[in-house]
Amino acid sequence: MKLSDHIKPISYLKAHAAEVIRNLSAQMEPMVITQNGEAKAVIQDVKSYEQTQETMALLKILALGTRQIEEGKVQPAHDAVARLRNRSKKR
C-alpha cells in the first residue's frame, strides 16, 4: 500500500463521503484526511480496524511475555501444570 495514494483533504471527504466509505470497505486500506495541508485523521473500514486492534492485543501479549522472560519470571511448564492440577483438586 502506498500511503500517498490515500491522502485526501477534508473537503474531499465532505463532498464524497458515501464514495469514500464504499472505497474503504472495498479496498480495506486506510485514508489519511488532511486539514489545511496537515494530516489530521486516518479513517478505515470497521473490519480492518478490528483486525488492527486484535493484532495490537497480540503484540502486547508477546511483549509482556518477552519482558517476563527477560525478568526471569518464568517456571518450567511441568511445574506450572502440577500447580494448576493441585489447585483443581482442592476445589
Side-chain angles (χ1 to χ4, degrees):
M1 174 189 78
K2 190 174 175 185
L3 191 58
S4 61
D5 292 338
H6 300 281
I7 298 174
K8 299 289 183 193
I10 196 165
S11 58
Y12 181 87
L13 176 62
K14 290 177 184 178
H16 302 93
E19 177 188 344
V20 167
I21 298 301
R22 272 193 307 275
N23 289 341
L24 287 173
S25 295
Q27 296 172 357
M28 297 187 71
E29 294 179 348
M31 178 179 284
V32 177
I33 303 299
T34 63
Q35 187 174 33
N36 299 322
E38 291 184 36
K40 293 291 183 177
V42 177
I43 59 174
Q44 65 185 134
D45 66 288
V46 172
K47 187 174 181 178
S48 295
Y49 175 78
E50 289 171 342
Q51 289 174 342
T52 300
Q53 294 303 305
E54 289 175 11
T55 300
M56 292 297 292
L58 289 172
L59 289 171
K60 286 180 183 180
I61 290 168
L62 287 172
L64 176 61
T66 300
R67 188 175 331 126
Q68 289 176 334
I69 290 169
E70 289 170 353
E71 294 173 355
K73 296 179 180 178
V74 295
Q75 58 181 306
H78 66 279
D79 290 352
V81 171
R83 193 183 71 212
L84 290 171
R85 285 187 178 141
N86 287 337
R87 243 193 238 170
S88 66
K89 289 179 184 178
K90 291 179 183 179
R91 290 183 184 176

